[in-house]
Amino acid sequence: MLPGRCTGTGRALEGRVRRLPAAERGRHQRATGRAQPPPRHDACVATARAELSSITSTLTDLARRVTALAERSRDGADADLAAELFAVERDLRGALRRLERASPEGRSRRS
């Protein structure tokens, strides 16, 4: 891993994360009994969570729009288009469930 980079996203974090000086890290470890995790790890996790949240919101909106279009197509007697759009909607809902399981929040709910 390159210093100052998230492994998952490749976005540079230099200048955004302040690493504690060695003396402060040592005090933290003595006081808590555990070493402080590298700050870039926390920043990478936060970045990944934010990206997952954004993707989930976008997919949710897209699924709603596809559903609305499918319902209008069904009501407008375009059954073939409606059937295809409902299939797309099911796939989008499946993708949302998979994202939910992949996200840290989704994993903690299953435990």
Side-chain angles (χ1 to χ4, degrees):
M1 180 169 85
L2 296 173
R5 294 204 171 261
C6 290
T7 56
T9 62
R11 292 185 178 167
L13 294 176
E14 296 189 44
R16 293 189 220 166
V17 178
R18 178 175 124 357
R19 186 164 178 87
L20 291 176
E24 288 183 44
R25 285 195 305 271
R27 269 197 306 270
H28 173 79
Q29 187 170 2
R30 285 189 300 279
T32 63
R34 59 188 168 86
Q36 179 185 16
R40 67 178 170 265
H41 170 74
D42 293 340
C44 290
V45 170
T47 300
R49 284 183 182 154
E51 280 190 68
L52 281 174
S53 177
S54 176
I55 291 168
T56 300
S57 295
T58 301
L59 275 178
T60 300
D61 183 53
L62 185 58
R64 277 192 212 116
R65 292 172 59 197
V66 168
T67 302
L69 184 57
E71 289 171 351
R72 284 194 307 269
S73 296
R74 181 189 59 205
D75 295 343
D78 195 351
D80 292 337
L81 178 60
E84 288 300 318
L85 289 171
F86 281 123
V88 169
E89 185 229 3
R90 282 191 301 275
D91 290 342
L92 288 171
R93 299 285 176 200
L96 282 165
R97 283 191 297 275
R98 290 184 71 184
L99 277 173
E100 174 81 15
R101 286 192 302 267
S103 73
E105 291 79 18
R107 286 193 303 261
S108 66
R109 275 186 284 229
R110 288 192 311 269
S111 300

